[in-house]
Coordinates of all heavy atoms in Angstrom, one line a residue:
M9 N 2.3 -13.0 28.4 CA 2.0 -11.6 28.0 C 3.3 -10.9 27.6 O 4.3 -11.2 28.2 CB 1.3 -10.9 29.2 CG 0.1 -11.4 29.7 SD -1.4 -11.1 28.7 CE -1.6 -9.4 29.1
R10 N 3.2 -10.1 26.6 CA 4.3 -9.3 26.2 C 3.8 -8.0 25.6 O 2.7 -7.9 25.1 CB 5.3 -10.0 25.3 CG 4.8 -10.1 23.9 CD 5.9 -10.8 23.0 NE 5.4 -10.9 21.6 CZ 6.2 -11.2 20.6 NH1 7.5 -11.5 20.9 NH2 5.8 -11.3 19.4
T11 N 4.6 -7.0 25.7 CA 4.3 -5.7 25.1 C 5.3 -5.4 24.0 O 6.5 -5.4 24.3 CB 4.3 -4.6 26.1 OG1 3.3 -4.9 27.1 CG2 4.0 -3.2 25.5
L12 N 4.9 -5.2 22.8 CA 5.8 -4.8 21.7 C 5.7 -3.3 21.5 O 4.7 -2.7 21.6 CB 5.3 -5.5 20.4 CG 5.1 -7.0 20.4 CD1 4.6 -7.5 19.1 CD2 6.5 -7.7 20.6
T13 N 6.9 -2.8 21.1 CA 6.9 -1.4 20.7 C 7.2 -1.3 19.2 O 8.2 -1.9 18.7 CB 8.1 -0.7 21.5 OG1 7.9 -0.8 22.9 CG2 8.1 0.8 21.1
L14 N 6.3 -0.7 18.5 CA 6.3 -0.6 17.1 C 7.3 0.5 16.6 O 7.6 1.4 17.4 CB 4.9 -0.4 16.5 CG 3.8 -1.3 16.9 CD1 2.5 -0.9 16.4 CD2 4.2 -2.7 16.5
K15 N 7.7 0.4 15.4 CA 8.6 1.4 14.9 C 8.0 2.8 15.0 O 8.7 3.8 15.1 CB 9.0 1.1 13.4 CG 9.9 0.0 13.2 CD 10.3 -0.2 11.8 CE 11.2 -1.4 11.6 NZ 11.6 -1.6 10.2
S16 N 6.7 2.9 14.9 CA 6.0 4.2 15.0 C 5.9 4.7 16.4 O 5.5 5.8 16.6 CB 4.5 4.0 14.5 OG 3.8 3.1 15.3
G17 N 6.3 3.9 17.4 CA 6.3 4.3 18.8 C 5.1 3.7 19.5 O 5.1 3.7 20.7
G18 N 4.1 3.2 18.8 CA 2.9 2.6 19.4 C 3.3 1.3 20.1 O 4.3 0.7 19.8
K19 N 2.4 0.9 21.0 CA 2.6 -0.4 21.7 C 1.5 -1.3 21.4 O 0.3 -0.9 21.2 CB 2.8 -0.1 23.2 CG 4.0 0.8 23.5 CD 4.3 0.8 25.0 CE 5.4 1.7 25.4 NZ 6.7 1.3 24.9
V20 N 1.8 -2.6 21.5 CA 0.8 -3.7 21.3 C 1.0 -4.7 22.4 O 2.1 -5.1 22.7 CB 1.0 -4.4 20.0 CG1 0.0 -5.6 19.8 CG2 0.8 -3.4 18.8
V21 N -0.1 -5.1 23.1 CA -0.1 -6.1 24.2 C -0.6 -7.4 23.6 O -1.7 -7.4 23.1 CB -0.9 -5.6 25.4 CG1 -0.9 -6.7 26.4 CG2 -0.4 -4.3 26.0
E22 N 0.2 -8.4 23.7 CA -0.1 -9.7 23.1 C -0.2 -10.7 24.3 O 0.5 -10.6 25.3 CB 0.9 -10.2 22.1 CG 1.0 -9.4 20.9 CD 2.1 -10.0 19.9 OE1 3.0 -10.8 20.4 OE2 2.0 -9.6 18.8
R23 N -1.0 -11.8 24.1 CA -1.1 -12.9 25.0 C -0.8 -14.2 24.3 O -1.5 -14.5 23.3 CB -2.4 -12.9 25.7 CG -2.5 -14.1 26.8 CD -3.9 -14.1 27.5 NE -5.0 -14.5 26.6 CZ -5.4 -15.8 26.5 NH1 -4.8 -16.7 27.2 NH2 -6.4 -16.1 25.8
L24 N 0.1 -15.0 24.8 CA 0.4 -16.3 24.2 C -0.8 -17.2 24.6 O -1.1 -17.3 25.8 CB 1.7 -16.8 24.8 CG 2.2 -18.1 24.3 CD1 2.5 -18.0 22.8 CD2 3.5 -18.6 25.0
K25 N -1.3 -17.9 23.6 CA -2.5 -18.8 23.8 C -2.1 -20.2 23.9 O -2.8 -21.0 24.5 CB -3.5 -18.5 22.8 CG -4.2 -17.2 22.8 CD -5.2 -17.0 21.7 CE -6.4 -17.8 21.9 NZ -7.4 -17.6 20.9
G26 N -1.0 -20.6 23.2 CA -0.6 -22.0 23.3 C 0.7 -22.2 22.5 O 1.0 -21.5 21.5
I27 N 1.4 -23.2 22.9 CA 2.6 -23.7 22.2 C 2.5 -25.2 22.0 O 2.2 -25.9 22.9 CB 3.9 -23.4 23.0 CG1 4.1 -21.9 23.1 CG2 5.1 -24.0 22.3 CD1 5.3 -21.5 24.0
D28 N 2.7 -25.6 20.8 CA 2.8 -27.1 20.4 C 4.2 -27.3 19.9 O 4.5 -27.0 18.7 CB 1.7 -27.4 19.4 CG 1.7 -28.9 19.0 OD1 2.7 -29.6 19.3 OD2 0.7 -29.4 18.5
E29 N 5.1 -27.8 20.8 CA 6.5 -27.9 20.4 C 6.7 -29.0 19.3 O 7.5 -28.8 18.4 CB 7.3 -28.3 21.7 CG 7.4 -27.1 22.6 CD 8.4 -27.3 23.8 OE1 9.2 -28.2 23.7 OE2 8.2 -26.6 24.8
E30 N 5.9 -30.1 19.4 CA 6.0 -31.1 18.4 C 5.6 -30.6 17.0 O 6.3 -30.9 16.0 CB 5.1 -32.3 18.7 CG 5.3 -33.5 17.8 CD 4.5 -34.7 18.2 OE1 4.4 -34.9 19.5 OE2 4.0 -35.4 17.4
A31 N 4.6 -29.8 16.9 CA 4.2 -29.2 15.6 C 4.9 -27.9 15.3 O 4.7 -27.4 14.2 CB 2.7 -29.0 15.6
M32 N 5.7 -27.5 16.2 CA 6.5 -26.2 16.1 C 5.5 -25.1 15.7 O 5.6 -24.3 14.8 CB 7.6 -26.3 15.1 CG 8.7 -27.2 15.5 SD 10.2 -27.1 14.6 CE 9.7 -27.8 13.0
K33 N 4.4 -24.9 16.6 CA 3.4 -24.0 16.3 C 3.1 -23.2 17.6 O 3.1 -23.8 18.7 CB 2.1 -24.7 15.9 CG 0.9 -23.8 15.7 CD -0.3 -24.7 15.2 CE -1.5 -23.9 14.8 NZ -2.6 -24.7 14.3
L34 N 2.9 -21.9 17.5 CA 2.5 -21.1 18.6 C 1.3 -20.2 18.2 O 1.2 -19.8 17.0 CB 3.6 -20.3 19.2 CG 4.2 -19.1 18.5 CD1 3.4 -17.8 18.7 CD2 5.6 -18.8 19.0
K35 N 0.4 -20.0 19.2 CA -0.8 -19.2 18.9 C -0.8 -18.1 19.9 O -0.4 -18.2 21.1 CB -2.1 -20.1 19.2 CG -2.2 -21.2 18.2 CD -3.5 -21.9 18.4 CE -3.5 -22.9 19.4 NZ -4.7 -23.8 19.5
Y36 N -1.2 -16.9 19.4 CA -1.3 -15.7 20.3 C -2.4 -14.8 19.8 O -3.0 -15.0 18.8 CB 0.0 -15.0 20.3 CG 0.3 -14.2 19.0 CD1 0.0 -12.9 18.9 CD2 0.9 -14.9 17.9 CE1 0.3 -12.2 17.7 CE2 1.1 -14.2 16.7 CZ 0.8 -12.9 16.6 OH 1.1 -12.2 15.4
E37 N -2.8 -13.9 20.7 CA -3.8 -12.9 20.4 C -3.3 -11.5 20.8 O -2.5 -11.4 21.6 CB -5.1 -13.2 21.1 CG -5.0 -13.1 22.6 CD -6.3 -13.5 23.2 OE1 -7.4 -13.4 22.6 OE2 -6.3 -13.9 24.4
I38 N -3.8 -10.5 20.1 CA -3.6 -9.1 20.5 C -4.7 -8.7 21.4 O -5.9 -8.8 21.0 CB -3.5 -8.2 19.3 CG1 -2.2 -8.5 18.4 CG2 -3.5 -6.7 19.7 CD1 -2.1 -7.7 17.2
L39 N -4.4 -8.2 22.6 CA -5.4 -7.8 23.5 C -5.7 -6.3 23.4 O -6.9 -5.9 23.5 CB -4.9 -8.0 25.0 CG -4.6 -9.5 25.3 CD1 -4.1 -9.6 26.7 CD2 -5.9 -10.3 25.2
E40 N -4.7 -5.5 23.1 CA -4.9 -4.0 22.9 C -3.7 -3.4 22.3 O -2.6 -4.0 22.2 CB -5.1 -3.4 24.3 CG -4.0 -3.5 25.2 CD -4.3 -2.9 26.6 OE1 -5.1 -3.4 27.4 OE2 -3.7 -1.8 26.9
G41 N -3.8 -2.2 21.8 CA -2.7 -1.5 21.3 C -2.9 -0.7 20.0 O -4.1 -0.4 19.6
A42 N -1.8 -0.4 19.4 CA -1.8 0.6 18.3 C -2.1 0.0 16.9 O -1.9 0.6 15.9 CB -0.4 1.3 18.3
V43 N -2.5 -1.3 16.9 CA -2.9 -1.9 15.6 C -4.4 -1.8 15.5 O -5.1 -2.2 16.3 CB -2.4 -3.4 15.6 CG1 -2.8 -4.0 14.2 CG2 -0.9 -3.5 15.8
P44 N -4.9 -1.1 14.4 CA -6.3 -0.9 14.2 C -7.1 -2.1 13.8 O -7.7 -2.1 12.7 CB -6.3 0.2 13.2 CG -5.1 -0.1 12.3 CD -4.1 -0.6 13.3
V45 N -7.1 -3.1 14.7 CA -7.9 -4.3 14.4 C -8.6 -4.7 15.7 O -8.3 -4.3 16.8 CB -7.0 -5.5 14.0 CG1 -6.3 -5.2 12.7 CG2 -6.0 -5.9 15.0
A46 N -9.6 -5.6 15.5 CA -10.3 -6.2 16.6 C -10.3 -7.7 16.5 O -10.2 -8.3 15.4 CB -11.8 -5.7 16.5
D47 N -10.3 -8.3 17.7 CA -10.4 -9.8 17.7 C -9.3 -10.5 16.9 O -9.5 -11.5 16.2 CB -11.7 -10.3 17.3 CG -12.9 -9.7 18.1 OD1 -12.7 -9.5 19.3 OD2 -14.0 -9.5 17.6
Y48 N -8.0 -10.0 17.1 CA -6.9 -10.5 16.3 C -6.4 -11.8 17.0 O -6.0 -11.8 18.2 CB -5.8 -9.5 16.2 CG -4.5 -10.0 15.6 CD1 -4.3 -9.8 14.2 CD2 -3.6 -10.7 16.3 CE1 -3.2 -10.3 13.6 CE2 -2.4 -11.2 15.6 CZ -2.2 -11.0 14.3 OH -1.1 -11.5 13.7
N49 N -6.4 -12.9 16.3 CA -5.8 -14.2 16.7 C -4.9 -14.7 15.6 O -5.2 -14.5 14.4 CB -6.9 -15.2 17.0 CG -7.6 -14.9 18.2 OD1 -7.2 -15.3 19.3 ND2 -8.8 -14.2 18.2
S50 N -3.8 -15.3 16.0 CA -2.8 -15.7 15.0 C -2.1 -16.9 15.4 O -2.1 -17.3 16.6 CB -1.8 -14.5 14.9 OG -0.9 -14.8 13.8
F51 N -1.5 -17.6 14.5 CA -0.6 -18.7 14.8 C 0.6 -18.6 13.8 O 0.5 -18.1 12.7 CB -1.2 -20.0 14.7 CG -1.7 -20.5 13.4 CD1 -0.8 -21.1 12.5 CD2 -3.0 -20.3 13.0 CE1 -1.3 -21.6 11.3 CE2 -3.5 -20.7 11.8 CZ -2.6 -21.4 10.9
I52 N 1.7 -19.1 14.3 CA 3.0 -19.2 13.5 C 3.4 -20.7 13.5 O 3.5 -21.3 14.6 CB 4.1 -18.3 14.0 CG1 3.6 -16.8 14.0 CG2 5.4 -18.5 13.3 CD1 4.6 -15.9 14.6
V53 N 3.7 -21.2 12.4 CA 4.2 -22.6 12.3 C 5.5 -22.6 11.5 O 5.7 -22.0 10.5 CB 3.2 -23.5 11.5 CG1 3.7 -24.9 11.4 CG2 1.8 -23.5 12.2
V54 N 6.5 -23.4 12.1 CA 7.8 -23.6 11.4 C 7.8 -25.0 10.9 O 7.5 -25.9 11.7 CB 8.9 -23.3 12.4 CG1 10.3 -23.5 11.7 CG2 8.9 -21.9 12.9
A55 N 8.2 -25.2 9.7 CA 8.3 -26.6 9.1 C 9.6 -26.7 8.4 O 10.3 -25.7 8.1 CB 7.1 -26.8 8.1
K56 N 10.0 -27.9 8.1 CA 11.2 -28.2 7.3 C 11.0 -27.5 5.9 O 10.0 -27.6 5.3 CB 11.4 -29.7 7.1 CG 11.9 -30.4 8.4 CD 12.2 -31.8 8.1 CE 12.6 -32.5 9.4 NZ 12.9 -33.9 9.2
G57 N 12.1 -26.9 5.5 CA 12.1 -26.3 4.2 C 12.4 -27.3 3.1 O 12.6 -28.5 3.3
S58 N 12.6 -26.8 1.9 CA 12.8 -27.7 0.7 C 14.2 -28.2 0.6 O 14.5 -29.2 -0.1 CB 12.4 -27.0 -0.6 OG 13.1 -25.8 -0.7
G59 N 15.1 -27.5 1.2 CA 16.5 -27.9 1.2 C 17.1 -28.1 2.6 O 16.5 -27.9 3.6
P60 N 18.3 -28.7 2.6 CA 19.0 -28.9 3.9 C 19.2 -27.5 4.6 O 19.5 -26.5 4.0 CB 20.3 -29.5 3.5 CG 20.5 -29.5 2.1 CD 19.2 -29.0 1.5
N61 N 19.0 -27.6 5.9 CA 19.2 -26.4 6.7 C 18.3 -25.2 6.4 O 18.6 -24.1 6.6 CB 20.7 -25.9 6.7 CG 21.6 -26.9 7.2 OD1 21.3 -27.6 8.2 ND2 22.7 -27.1 6.6
E62 N 17.1 -25.6 5.8 CA 16.1 -24.6 5.5 C 14.8 -24.8 6.3 O 14.5 -26.0 6.6 CB 15.8 -24.6 4.0 CG 16.9 -24.1 3.1 CD 16.5 -24.1 1.6 OE1 15.4 -24.4 1.3 OE2 17.4 -23.6 0.8
S63 N 14.1 -23.8 6.5 CA 12.8 -23.8 7.2 C 11.8 -23.0 6.5 O 12.2 -22.1 5.8 CB 12.9 -23.3 8.7 OG 13.8 -24.1 9.4
S64 N 10.6 -23.3 6.7 CA 9.5 -22.6 6.1 C 8.6 -22.1 7.3 O 8.3 -22.8 8.2 CB 8.6 -23.5 5.2 OG 7.4 -22.9 4.8
V65 N 8.3 -20.8 7.2 CA 7.5 -20.2 8.3 C 6.1 -19.8 7.7 O 6.1 -19.1 6.7 CB 8.2 -19.0 8.9 CG1 7.3 -18.3 9.9 CG2 9.5 -19.4 9.5
T66 N 5.0 -20.2 8.3 CA 3.7 -19.8 7.9 C 3.1 -19.0 9.1 O 3.1 -19.4 10.2 CB 2.8 -21.0 7.7 OG1 3.4 -21.8 6.6 CG2 1.4 -20.6 7.2
W67 N 2.7 -17.8 8.8 CA 2.1 -16.9 9.8 C 0.7 -16.5 9.3 O 0.5 -15.9 8.3 CB 3.0 -15.6 9.9 CG 2.7 -14.7 11.1 CD1 1.7 -14.8 12.0 CD2 3.5 -13.6 11.4 NE1 1.8 -13.8 12.9 CE2 2.9 -13.0 12.5 CE3 4.6 -13.0 10.8 CZ2 3.4 -11.8 13.1 CZ3 5.1 -11.8 11.4 CH2 4.5 -11.2 12.5
V68 N -0.3 -16.9 10.1 CA -1.7 -16.7 9.7 C -2.4 -15.9 10.8 O -2.2 -16.2 12.0 CB -2.4 -18.0 9.6 CG1 -3.9 -17.8 9.3 CG2 -1.8 -18.9 8.5
G69 N -3.1 -14.9 10.4 CA -3.8 -14.0 11.4 C -5.3 -13.9 11.0 O -5.6 -13.9 9.8
R70 N -6.2 -13.9 11.9 CA -7.6 -13.7 11.7 C -8.0 -12.5 12.6 O -7.7 -12.4 13.8 CB -8.4 -14.9 12.2 CG -9.8 -14.8 12.0 CD -10.6 -16.1 12.3 NE -12.0 -15.8 12.3 CZ -12.7 -15.8 13.5 NH1 -12.1 -16.2 14.6 NH2 -13.9 -15.5 13.4
F71 N -8.7 -11.6 11.9 CA -9.0 -10.3 12.6 C -10.2 -9.6 11.9 O -10.6 -10.0 10.8 CB -7.8 -9.4 12.7 CG -7.3 -9.1 11.3 CD1 -7.7 -7.9 10.6 CD2 -6.3 -9.9 10.7 CE1 -7.2 -7.7 9.3 CE2 -5.8 -9.6 9.5 CZ -6.2 -8.5 8.8
Y72 N -10.7 -8.6 12.6 CA -11.8 -7.8 12.0 C -11.3 -6.4 12.1 O -10.4 -6.0 12.8 CB -13.1 -7.9 12.9 CG -13.6 -9.3 12.9 CD1 -13.3 -10.2 13.9 CD2 -14.4 -9.8 11.9 CE1 -13.8 -11.5 14.0 CE2 -15.0 -11.1 11.9 CZ -14.6 -11.9 12.9 OH -15.1 -13.2 13.0
R73 N -12.0 -5.6 11.2 CA -11.8 -4.1 11.4 C -12.3 -3.7 12.7 O -13.0 -4.4 13.4 CB -12.5 -3.4 10.2 CG -14.0 -3.5 10.3 CD -14.7 -2.7 9.2 NE -16.1 -2.7 9.4 CZ -17.0 -3.2 8.4 NH1 -16.5 -3.6 7.3 NH2 -18.2 -3.2 8.7
V74 N -11.9 -2.5 13.1 CA -12.3 -2.0 14.5 C -13.8 -1.8 14.5 O -14.4 -2.2 15.5 CB -11.5 -0.7 14.8 CG1 -12.0 -0.1 16.1 CG2 -10.0 -1.0 14.9
Y75 N -14.3 -1.1 13.5 CA -15.7 -0.8 13.5 C -16.5 -2.0 12.9 O -16.4 -2.3 11.7 CB -16.0 0.5 12.7 CG -17.4 1.0 12.8 CD1 -17.8 1.7 13.9 CD2 -18.3 0.8 11.8 CE1 -19.0 2.3 14.1 CE2 -19.6 1.3 11.9 CZ -19.9 2.0 13.1 OH -21.2 2.5 13.2
K76 N -17.3 -2.7 13.7 CA -17.9 -3.9 13.3 C -19.3 -3.7 12.8 O -20.0 -4.6 12.2 CB -18.0 -4.9 14.4 CG -16.6 -5.4 14.9 CD -16.7 -6.4 16.0 CE -15.4 -6.7 16.5 NZ -15.5 -7.6 17.7
L77 N -19.9 -2.5 12.9 CA -21.2 -2.3 12.5 C -21.3 -1.9 11.0 O -20.3 -1.8 10.3 CB -21.9 -1.1 13.3 CG -21.9 -1.4 14.8 CD1 -22.4 -0.2 15.6 CD2 -22.7 -2.7 15.1
N78 N -22.5 -1.7 10.5 CA -22.7 -1.3 9.1 C -22.3 0.1 8.8 O -22.2 0.9 9.7 CB -24.1 -1.5 8.7 CG -24.5 -3.0 8.7 OD1 -23.7 -3.8 8.4 ND2 -25.8 -3.3 9.1
P79 N -22.0 0.5 7.5 CA -21.7 1.8 7.2 C -22.7 2.9 7.7 O -23.8 2.5 7.9 CB -21.6 1.8 5.6 CG -21.4 0.4 5.3 CD -22.1 -0.4 6.4
P80 N -22.2 4.1 7.9 CA -20.9 4.6 7.5 C -19.8 4.1 8.5 O -20.1 4.1 9.7 CB -21.1 6.1 7.5 CG -22.2 6.3 8.5 CD -23.1 5.1 8.4
I81 N -18.7 3.8 8.0 CA -17.5 3.3 8.8 C -16.6 4.5 9.0 O -16.2 5.2 8.1 CB -16.8 2.2 8.0 CG1 -17.7 1.0 7.8 CG2 -15.6 1.7 8.8 CD1 -17.2 -0.1 6.9
P82 N -16.3 4.8 10.3 CA -15.4 5.9 10.6 C -14.0 5.7 9.9 O -13.5 4.6 9.8 CB -15.3 5.9 12.1 CG -16.5 5.1 12.6 CD -16.8 4.1 11.5
P83 N -13.4 6.8 9.5 CA -12.0 6.7 8.9 C -11.1 6.0 9.9 O -11.1 6.2 11.1 CB -11.6 8.2 8.7 CG -12.9 8.9 8.7 CD -13.9 8.2 9.6
G84 N -10.2 5.2 9.4 CA -9.2 4.5 10.2 C -9.7 3.2 10.9 O -9.0 2.5 11.5
Q85 N -11.0 2.9 10.7 CA -11.6 1.7 11.4 C -12.2 0.8 10.3 O -13.0 -0.1 10.6 CB -12.7 2.2 12.3 CG -12.2 3.0 13.5 CD -13.2 3.4 14.5 OE1 -14.3 2.7 14.6 NE2 -13.0 4.4 15.2
D86 N -11.7 0.9 9.1 CA -12.2 0.2 7.9 C -11.4 -1.1 7.6 O -10.3 -1.2 8.2 CB -12.3 1.1 6.7 CG -11.0 1.7 6.4 OD1 -10.7 2.8 7.0 OD2 -10.2 1.1 5.6
D87 N -11.9 -1.9 6.7 CA -11.1 -3.1 6.3 C -9.8 -2.8 5.8 O -8.8 -3.4 6.1 CB -11.9 -3.9 5.3 CG -13.2 -4.5 5.8 OD1 -13.3 -4.8 7.0 OD2 -14.2 -4.7 5.0
E88 N -9.7 -1.8 4.9 CA -8.4 -1.5 4.2 C -7.4 -1.1 5.3 O -6.2 -1.5 5.2 CB -8.6 -0.3 3.2 CG -7.4 0.0 2.5 CD -7.6 1.1 1.5 OE1 -8.7 1.4 1.1 OE2 -6.6 1.7 1.0
T89 N -7.7 -0.3 6.3 CA -6.8 0.1 7.3 C -6.3 -1.1 8.1 O -5.1 -1.2 8.4 CB -7.4 1.2 8.2 OG1 -7.8 2.3 7.4 CG2 -6.5 1.6 9.3
A90 N -7.2 -2.0 8.5 CA -6.9 -3.2 9.3 C -5.9 -4.1 8.5 O -4.9 -4.5 9.0 CB -8.1 -3.9 9.7
I91 N -6.2 -4.3 7.2 CA -5.4 -5.2 6.4 C -4.0 -4.6 6.2 O -3.0 -5.3 6.3 CB -6.1 -5.5 5.0 CG1 -7.3 -6.4 5.3 CG2 -5.1 -6.1 4.0 CD1 -8.2 -6.5 4.1
K92 N -4.0 -3.3 6.0 CA -2.7 -2.6 5.8 C -1.8 -2.7 7.0 O -0.6 -3.0 7.0 CB -2.9 -1.2 5.4 CG -1.6 -0.4 5.1 CD -1.9 1.1 4.7 CE -0.7 1.8 4.3 NZ -0.3 2.8 5.3
A93 N -2.4 -2.5 8.2 CA -1.7 -2.6 9.4 C -1.1 -4.0 9.7 O 0.1 -4.1 10.1 CB -2.5 -2.1 10.6
V94 N -1.9 -5.0 9.5 CA -1.4 -6.4 9.7 C -0.4 -6.8 8.7 O 0.6 -7.4 9.0 CB -2.6 -7.4 9.7 CG1 -2.1 -8.8 9.7 CG2 -3.5 -7.1 10.9
T95 N -0.6 -6.4 7.4 CA 0.4 -6.6 6.4 C 1.8 -6.0 6.7 O 2.8 -6.6 6.6 CB -0.1 -6.1 5.0 OG1 -1.3 -6.8 4.7 CG2 1.0 -6.3 3.9
E96 N 1.8 -4.7 7.2 CA 3.0 -4.1 7.6 C 3.6 -4.8 8.8 O 4.9 -4.9 8.9 CB 2.7 -2.6 8.0 CG 2.4 -1.8 6.8 CD 2.0 -0.3 7.2 OE1 1.8 0.0 8.4 OE2 1.8 0.5 6.2
M97 N 2.8 -5.3 9.7 CA 3.4 -6.0 10.9 C 4.1 -7.3 10.4 O 5.2 -7.6 10.8 CB 2.2 -6.4 11.8 CG 2.6 -7.0 13.1 SD 1.3 -7.1 14.3 CE 0.0 -8.0 13.4
Y98 N 3.5 -8.0 9.5 CA 4.1 -9.3 8.9 C 5.3 -8.9 8.1 O 6.3 -9.6 8.1 CB 3.1 -10.0 8.1 CG 1.9 -10.7 8.9 CD1 1.8 -10.5 10.3 CD2 1.0 -11.5 8.3 CE1 0.8 -11.1 11.0 CE2 0.0 -12.1 9.0 CZ -0.1 -11.9 10.3 OH -1.2 -12.5 11.0
D99 N 5.2 -7.9 7.3 CA 6.3 -7.5 6.4 C 7.6 -7.1 7.2 O 8.7 -7.2 6.7 CB 5.9 -6.4 5.5 CG 5.0 -6.8 4.3 OD1 4.9 -8.1 4.1 OD2 4.4 -6.0 3.6
S100 N 7.4 -6.6 8.4 CA 8.6 -6.3 9.2 C 8.9 -7.4 10.1 O 10.1 -7.7 10.4 CB 8.4 -5.0 10.0 OG 7.3 -5.2 11.0
G101 N 8.0 -8.2 10.6 CA 8.2 -9.3 11.5 C 8.9 -10.5 10.9 O 9.8 -11.1 11.5
L102 N 8.5 -10.9 9.6 CA 9.1 -12.0 9.0 C 10.6 -11.9 8.7 O 11.4 -12.7 9.0 CB 8.4 -12.4 7.7 CG 7.0 -13.1 8.0 CD1 6.2 -13.2 6.7 CD2 7.2 -14.5 8.7
P103 N 11.1 -10.7 8.1 CA 12.5 -10.5 8.0 C 13.3 -10.5 9.3 O 14.4 -11.0 9.3 CB 12.6 -9.2 7.2 CG 11.3 -9.0 6.6 CD 10.3 -9.7 7.5
A104 N 12.7 -10.0 10.3 CA 13.3 -9.9 11.6 C 13.5 -11.4 12.2 O 14.5 -11.7 12.7 CB 12.5 -9.1 12.6
L105 N 12.5 -12.2 12.0 CA 12.6 -13.6 12.4 C 13.6 -14.3 11.6 O 14.4 -15.1 12.2 CB 11.2 -14.3 12.2 CG 11.1 -15.8 12.5 CD1 11.5 -16.0 14.0 CD2 9.8 -16.3 12.2
K106 N 13.7 -14.1 10.3 CA 14.7 -14.7 9.4 C 16.1 -14.3 9.9 O 17.0 -15.2 10.1 CB 14.5 -14.3 8.0 CG 15.5 -14.9 7.0 CD 15.2 -14.4 5.6 CE 15.9 -15.1 4.5 NZ 17.4 -15.1 4.5
K107 N 16.3 -13.1 10.2 CA 17.6 -12.6 10.6 C 18.0 -13.2 12.0 O 19.1 -13.7 12.2 CB 17.6 -11.1 10.8 CG 18.9 -10.5 11.2 CD 18.8 -9.0 11.3 CE 20.2 -8.4 11.7 NZ 20.1 -6.9 11.8
L108 N 17.1 -13.3 12.9 CA 17.3 -13.9 14.2 C 17.7 -15.4 14.0 O 18.6 -15.9 14.6 CB 16.1 -13.8 15.1 CG 16.2 -14.4 16.5 CD1 17.3 -13.7 17.3 CD2 14.9 -14.3 17.2
A109 N 16.9 -16.1 13.2 CA 17.2 -17.6 13.0 C 18.5 -17.8 12.3 O 19.2 -18.8 12.6 CB 16.1 -18.2 12.1
E110 N 19.0 -16.9 11.4 CA 20.2 -17.1 10.7 C 21.4 -16.7 11.5 O 22.5 -17.1 11.2 CB 20.2 -16.4 9.4 CG 19.2 -17.0 8.4 CD 19.1 -16.2 7.1 OE1 19.5 -15.1 7.0 OE2 18.5 -16.8 6.2
T111 N 21.3 -16.0 12.7 CA 22.4 -15.6 13.5 C 22.7 -16.5 14.6 O 23.6 -16.4 15.3 CB 22.2 -14.2 14.0 OG1 21.0 -14.1 14.8 CG2 22.1 -13.1 12.9
K112 N 21.8 -17.5 14.8 CA 22.0 -18.5 15.9 C 22.6 -19.8 15.5 O 22.4 -20.3 14.5 CB 20.7 -18.7 16.7 CG 20.2 -17.4 17.3 CD 19.7 -17.6 18.6 CE 19.5 -16.2 19.2 NZ 19.2 -16.2 20.6

C-alpha cells in the first residue's frame, strides 16, 4: 500500500498486486483517491531498449469512468474526465521515472 500526493494536493491510495522480477513487471490498483476513475488496474513493464544502456517502459491502465450507469452522466464522472486524469498521471509519471532511472 502507498499513498501518493498529487501536484494538485489530492491523494491517491494504491495497492501493489504483484511483482514479476524476471519479466520486470509490476501490477497495482487504485483503491481510492483524487483520480476520477473506478476499478483502475495497471501494470508497468520494463524491457531492453533498442540501444545499449536503453530501456523501454510500457505502462498500461484499465479503468472505468466513475458513473457506470446510463446517461445522464453527472459532470466530472464521464469518460472524457477519466481519460484526461489518467493521461495527466502518465504524462507526469513517465518523465519522473526517466529522471529517476537516469540519476542512479
Side-chain angles (χ1 to χ4, degrees):
M9 301 283 286
R10 74 176 182 172
T11 300
L12 302 175
T13 301
L14 306 175
K15 287 181 181 181
S16 64
K19 297 193 184 293
V20 175
V21 177
E22 296 179 343
R23 181 176 72 90
L24 184 63
K25 294 177 68 174
I27 296 175
D28 181 338
E29 290 186 21
E30 187 175 324
M32 294 194 293
K33 180 177 184 178
L34 69 84
K35 297 188 275 186
Y36 71 98
E37 66 183 334
I38 292 177
L39 299 176
E40 62 182 73
V43 181
V45 298
D47 302 327
Y48 177 93
N49 284 276
S50 185
F51 67 85
I52 298 173
V53 178
V54 179
K56 289 184 180 180
S58 57
N61 299 318
E62 291 184 359
S63 297
S64 171
V65 175
T66 302
W67 190 357
V68 176
R70 181 174 167 250
F71 56 93
Y72 297 97
R73 66 177 182 237
V74 174
Y75 190 78
K76 296 180 187 176
L77 301 177
N78 292 326
I81 300 169
Q85 296 183 23
D86 55 275
D87 292 333
E88 183 179 344
T89 300
I91 291 168
K92 182 176 184 251
V94 171
T95 299
E96 288 173 355
M97 188 169 55
Y98 290 4
D99 286 348
S100 64
L102 286 170
L105 178 60
K106 182 179 189 301
K107 183 178 178 182
L108 179 65
E110 291 176 346
T111 59
K112 296 222 172 193

